[in-house]
Every structure is written in C-alpha cells, then in structure tokens.
C-alpha cells in the first residue's frame, strides 16, 4: 500500500483530545479571576506542545493542537463570527449511554445583526500549531456552517436582521468563504469542518424536534448541504478540506441514533 503524502491521510484522527487535569484546573482558576491570562496561555502552550509531540511520536501525518485552547469545540469559533452573540439562557442537550442519560446545558448562539467576517478566527491558534509541528501536516478544525443554526434555529435569528432566511444562508456561506481564504493565507493546507447536524437529522426524534419548533425537519439537511457547498466555493488551491460527522459525543455518550440512510443520497452524492 502506497503512503499518502497529502491529506486526507490513510490514518487520521478527529483532532480533539482530552484536556490534562492541570489545564482544566488552570482554566477554572482563570475563570475565577485567580490566574492571569498570560499564565493560562503559557500552560496551554506547554500542553499543546505535549500533544503535538504525542501525535508525531506515534507517526500520525495530520497533527492538531488537540483543541486545548477551547472551552467548546464549536462555540469558541461561532461566537467570533460578527453578528453572533451568546444567549443568556442555556439550551439543554440530552446525551445517552448504556447507563442512562446526561444533561448538558451550554449556552446557545443568537444572531442579532447581519453576519460578518471581522477577523481570522483561530489565527493565533493555527500560527502556534504551525510553528511547533516539525513532522506532519498541521490540521485545523472548525465547526461547519450548519452549527451556527442547528441549536437555536429560526427563533435564534433576529427577524429584523434577516426577514428572509435565504439571505442568512448566503451571508453565512460568505463568512466561511472569507475565513477559509484567510486561513489559507496563514499557510493552512488541511482544514476540517466538524458537523453533527447531518448525522443528528438521521434520527427521527431530531427531525421531529425541528418540526415542533416550526421548521422543516424532513428537508433541513438539504439546506445545510447547499450552504456547506456554497461555503467551499472558491476554495484556495492547495487546501484540502475534510468533514467529520458524528452523532454527538460527551463523556462517551451520544445524542442521536441511527444510520445515514436519511441523508446519504444528497450528502454523499
């Protein structure tokens, strides 16, 4: 079997890694106001160098920072999009496992004005990764466009800013186009868009939840796929973009269930 020298690689990984206990404790101290930001940054740098070394030592060709600077794999990115703010209320999510359920209550994003690309999101994080990878390809992971919509839906998008949802989807795709080009300018050649929405919508319960909030659960995946493709228009030459999909993962528990039959034909074709 030949060895691939360009991504995606035969042996790859999602990119997120367990936070060391020392880093979790440091983040708690920082949030409590007991640790200066520069000290937290230094501890994050050390932890990221360790996970880079781990990936290189085991021979992985794609190397990430483990997402160790993030509190959330997707929300840290989404809240940096111009026009997106953190809602005051939480939105409960129920994760399932063989022993029962786990209730997770993170905040949800709300769109309060027209979406805009204000700066290159995760620019510093990627620059640090790129500077410290000595063997392999630095891979950056960001959430897919659909994650901006999935949790709150139409109700979380200001009617005055977007009376017509078609304009929302168009603006969202444009923000991603600009972000992707900006990351390419920083030297990113391997970008992964992480998505749970399309896997979730295979689950009839998830589609029913869309219907209950006044949206079209049977066809929402088609809008997500169109927006995804629009976001990739004008993709910079030399950049590989991959997608990771899953049914949710939190403490070895999941949200959605079922195969990919419902979304398979429009998604994979």
């Amino acid at each position: 079997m030949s060895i691939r020298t360009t991504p995606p690689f035969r042996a790859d990984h999602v990119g997120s890694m367990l936070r060391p206990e020392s880093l979790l404790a440091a983040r708690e101290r920082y949030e409590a106001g007991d640790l200066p930001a520069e000290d937290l940054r230094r501890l994050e740098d050390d932890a990221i160098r360790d996970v880079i070394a781990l990936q290189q030592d085991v021979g992985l060709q794609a190397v990430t920072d483990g997402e160790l600077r993030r509190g959330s794999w997707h929300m840290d990115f989404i809240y940096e999009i111009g026009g997106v703010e953190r809602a005051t209320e939480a939105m409960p999510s129920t994760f399932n496992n063989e022993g029962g359920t786990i209730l997770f209550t993170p905040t949800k994003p709300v769109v309060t004005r027209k979406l805009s690309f204000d700066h290159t999101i995760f620019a510093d994080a990627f620059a640090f990764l790129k500077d410290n990878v000595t063997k392999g390809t630095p891979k950056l992971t960001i959430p897919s466009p659909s994650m901006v919509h999935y949790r709150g839906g139409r109700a979380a998008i200001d009617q005055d800013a977007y009376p017509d949802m078609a304009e929302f989807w168009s603006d969202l795709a444009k923000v991603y186009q600009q972000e992707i080009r900006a990351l390419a300018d920083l030297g990113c050649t391997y970008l992964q868009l992480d998505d749970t929405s399309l896997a979730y919508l295979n689950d009839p319960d998830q589609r029913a939840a869309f219907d209950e909030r006044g949206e079209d659960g049977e066809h929402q995946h088609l809008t997500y796929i169109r927006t995804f493709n629009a976001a990739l228009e004008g993709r910079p030459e030399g950049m590989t973009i991959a997608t990771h999909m899953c049914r949710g993962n939190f403490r070895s528990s999941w949200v959605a269930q079922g195969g990919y039959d419902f979304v398979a034909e429009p998604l994979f074709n």
Side-chain angles (χ1 to χ4, degrees), residues 28-139:
E28 288 183 2
R29 290 177 56 205
Y30 169 74
E31 291 173 355
D34 297 329
L35 184 71
E38 57 269 23
D39 289 351
L40 175 62
R41 176 78 183 197
R42 177 177 53 79
L43 293 169
E44 289 173 344
D45 289 350
D46 291 342
I48 290 168
R49 290 189 184 98
D50 288 342
V51 297
I52 288 174
L54 171 65
Q55 294 167 82
Q56 293 180 153
D57 288 347
V58 299
L60 290 174
Q61 292 172 274
V63 181
T64 76
D65 64 2
E67 301 176 357
L68 298 190
R69 296 197 198 279
R70 307 183 201 179
S72 164
W73 65 271
H74 57 326
M75 300 314 301
D76 287 38
F77 180 94
I78 291 171
Y79 287 135
E80 293 296 315
I81 296 173
V84 180
E85 297 182 10
R86 189 187 306 264
T88 54
E89 72 274 13
M91 176 171 283
S93 296
T94 301
F95 287 76
N96 309 281
N97 57 53
E98 293 179 352
T101 61
I102 299 174
L103 187 64
F104 183 48
T105 56
T107 58
K108 68 177 180 181
V110 290
V111 176
T112 60
R113 57 180 173 84
K114 296 287 189 184
L115 299 177
S116 61
F117 174 76
D118 297 340
H119 61 278
T120 307
I121 305 171
F122 294 165
D124 290 344
F126 177 75
F128 183 86
L129 174 68
K130 185 171 179 286
D131 288 345
N132 283 273
V133 171
T134 59
K135 184 173 60 175
T137 300
K139 179 173 80 167

Side-chain angles (χ1 to χ4, degrees), residues 16 28 52 83 124 146 176-177 195 224 227 239:
S16 183
E28 288 183 2
I52 288 174
D124 290 344
S146 59
Y176 269 77
Q177 291 171 5
D195 182 89
Y224 285 159
T227 306
M239 174 185 275

Side-chain angles (χ1 to χ4, degrees), residues 1-263:
M1 182 180 292
S2 61
I3 297 176
R4 289 185 61 92
T5 58
T6 58
F9 301 109
R10 296 188 186 278
D12 214 318
H13 65 112
V14 171
S16 183
M17 297 189 176
L18 292 175
R19 279 65 171 163
E21 289 296 330
S22 58
L23 186 55
L24 292 173
R27 188 156 290 143
E28 288 183 2
R29 290 177 56 205
Y30 169 74
E31 291 173 355
D34 297 329
L35 184 71
E38 57 269 23
D39 289 351
L40 175 62
R41 176 78 183 197
R42 177 177 53 79
L43 293 169
E44 289 173 344
D45 289 350
D46 291 342
I48 290 168
R49 290 189 184 98
D50 288 342
V51 297
I52 288 174
L54 171 65
Q55 294 167 82
Q56 293 180 153
D57 288 347
V58 299
L60 290 174
Q61 292 172 274
V63 181
T64 76
D65 64 2
E67 301 176 357
L68 298 190
R69 296 197 198 279
R70 307 183 201 179
S72 164
W73 65 271
H74 57 326
M75 300 314 301
D76 287 38
F77 180 94
I78 291 171
Y79 287 135
E80 293 296 315
I81 296 173
V84 180
E85 297 182 10
R86 189 187 306 264
T88 54
E89 72 274 13
M91 176 171 283
S93 296
T94 301
F95 287 76
N96 309 281
N97 57 53
E98 293 179 352
T101 61
I102 299 174
L103 187 64
F104 183 48
T105 56
T107 58
K108 68 177 180 181
V110 290
V111 176
T112 60
R113 57 180 173 84
K114 296 287 189 184
L115 299 177
S116 61
F117 174 76
D118 297 340
H119 61 278
T120 307
I121 305 171
F122 294 165
D124 290 344
F126 177 75
F128 183 86
L129 174 68
K130 185 171 179 286
D131 288 345
N132 283 273
V133 171
T134 59
K135 184 173 60 175
T137 300
K139 179 173 80 167
L140 181 65
T141 65
I142 64 174
S144 74
S146 59
M147 302 312 301
V148 178
H149 171 271
Y150 193 89
R151 298 191 67 229
R154 182 66 177 106
I157 300 169
D158 185 86
Q159 294 274 356
D160 292 331
Y162 288 108
D164 182 356
M165 281 296 288
E167 188 178 1
F168 166 79
W169 296 117
S170 176
D171 285 354
L172 181 60
K174 289 175 183 175
V175 167
Y176 269 77
Q177 291 171 5
Q178 292 172 289
E179 168 73 6
I180 290 170
R181 285 196 295 269
L183 290 172
D185 289 342
L186 293 177
C188 180
T189 60
Y190 192 11
L191 180 67
Q192 176 180 291
L193 301 184
D194 292 322
D195 182 89
T196 60
S197 68
L198 292 167
Y200 277 25
L201 287 170
N202 285 287
D203 190 325
D205 290 342
Q206 292 286 320
R207 299 199 297 275
F210 265 71
D211 293 338
E212 289 170 6
R213 71 188 195 190
E215 299 186 83
D216 187 358
E218 290 299 305
H219 299 95
Q220 185 62 55
H221 65 296
L222 301 178
T223 300
Y224 285 159
I225 292 168
R226 284 194 297 270
T227 306
F228 212 121
N229 286 329
L232 300 183
E233 290 180 3
R235 177 179 60 188
E237 186 175 352
M239 174 185 275
T240 297
I241 299 180
T243 305
H244 160 243
M245 292 179 287
C246 77
R247 301 169 186 84
N249 181 25
F250 178 64
R251 297 179 182 173
S252 300
S253 303
W254 67 91
V255 173
Q257 302 184 68
Y260 279 79
D261 293 0
F262 182 77
V263 304

